[in-house]
Every structure is written in structure tokens, then in C-alpha cells.
Amino acid sequence: MKKVIGVLVLFIGLNAFAQKREMKSEMTPDQMATLSTKKMTLALDLTESQQAKVYVLELEHATERLAKMEARKQARENGTTKNLSSDQRYEMQSKMLDQRIEQKKKMKSVLTKEQFEKWEKMAHHRNREGRKGKHQKGEKKGHKNNEDRHND
């Protein structure tokens, strides 16, 4: 009986998690850009002019992201993503980095020096949050990370 209840709880939890992911993908590029602009306005104290410029950049970025997500979804369904050559992987990563550089240049032209520095810190923080569940280099399962070891 305990096993049945445990399986049922696990199933309900996984089902709820799957529904949350679906809801996230239902936002339009306009909605994503609006939310992102509002978050940046709160964090960076953007002016009206800056808000309008950032909205345009975020809308462009969100539209590109959704197009890429659709392309990846199609490629996954066709089975073409599993066997990418090293040149194809290099090309993908190179394009991604070029787009990041371009986004950074555009943001730098819109924001003040102080705002840009804070934006970069926010972006760095977001990247670290995305990797939270993954093990950092040098960490092993069942061990505390290096900072905790030195604090003991």
C-alpha cells in the first residue's frame, strides 16, 4: 500500500512539473519582452526612453529564441540532432556567441555605464542559476563544495 501511494505521489508531482513547463512556452514574444523589460526597469531604474529601446531589443531576442526552439524541436523529431559533427557543433556555438556579443553591444549602447555593469552582473547571476543543479568542476557527489570544506 505504501508503494502504491508513493508511486501515486511521484506521478502527480511529475505531472505538475510537466504542466509548468508547458505554460512557460505558451507566452508570446511580446509577453516575454514586456516581462523582461519590466524586470530590467525595476533592477536598473530605466528611463522611459531606455525602456522603449530595451523592449525592442528584448522583443527581437525573444522572437529569435522562439524560432530556435521550434527549429530544435523539429530537428529532435526528425532525429537530426543526435549525430552532429564537430564542425556543426562549432558552427552552432560560434553563432550563439556572436549573437551574445551583438546583444551585449546593443545593451551597452542603451544603458549607462553603471546600469550596464549591473546588467552584466545580473546576466552572470542568471547563468549561474541555470547551472545550479549541475556539478561544478571539482565537486563530487556526496561531498561538500570547496567553500564549505574551508569553512569547517
Side-chain angles (χ1 to χ4, degrees):
M1 185 69 174
K2 288 181 182 180
K3 289 181 181 181
V4 172
I5 293 173
V7 170
L8 185 62
V9 169
L10 181 63
F11 178 72
I12 291 170
L14 290 175
N15 190 24
F17 178 73
Q19 288 178 353
K20 287 180 184 178
R21 284 193 73 178
E22 288 175 14
M23 290 183 350
K24 185 177 180 181
S25 65
E26 291 178 7
M27 284 198 297
T28 66
D30 180 58
Q31 291 170 329
M32 287 187 238
T34 301
L35 291 176
S36 182
T37 302
K38 286 182 179 185
K39 287 177 185 178
M40 287 180 61
T41 299
L42 288 171
L44 303 175
D45 196 29
L46 301 178
T47 65
E48 294 288 328
S49 169
Q50 287 175 319
Q51 287 178 40
K53 292 175 184 175
V54 166
Y55 173 79
V56 171
L57 294 176
E58 290 296 319
L59 181 61
E60 180 182 307
H61 187 67
T63 304
E64 289 174 7
R65 263 196 337 257
L66 281 179
K68 287 178 190 173
M69 284 172 47
E70 283 299 318
R72 281 194 307 268
K73 184 178 178 182
Q74 291 295 327
R76 222 177 308 127
E77 288 173 359
N78 297 337
T80 58
T81 58
K82 291 184 179 180
N83 298 322
L84 293 177
S85 69
S86 62
D87 289 337
Q88 288 171 320
R89 287 187 193 279
Y90 168 78
E91 191 66 33
M92 275 181 22
Q93 290 181 356
S94 180
K95 283 181 184 177
M96 180 187 66
L97 292 172
D98 288 341
Q99 289 170 344
R100 279 189 185 170
I101 291 168
E102 187 63 31
Q103 179 77 2
K104 190 173 181 176
K105 285 180 186 176
K106 289 176 182 177
M107 290 302 289
K108 194 171 191 173
S109 70
V110 172
L111 302 175
T112 65
K113 185 178 180 181
E114 294 81 20
Q115 288 172 328
F116 182 73
E117 289 172 1
K118 192 170 183 180
W119 177 77
E120 281 190 311
K121 288 179 184 176
M122 288 169 45
H124 178 71
H125 181 69
R126 275 193 311 271
N127 289 340
R128 291 184 57 81
E129 287 293 318
R131 287 186 249 143
K132 225 177 199 179
K134 297 180 182 176
H135 294 287
Q136 298 289 329
K137 187 175 183 178
E139 289 184 5
K140 295 181 182 177
K141 279 187 175 181
H143 295 283
K144 294 181 180 179
N145 64 22
N146 290 334
E147 290 178 20
D148 291 342
R149 277 190 229 145
H150 295 298
N151 293 335
D152 287 342

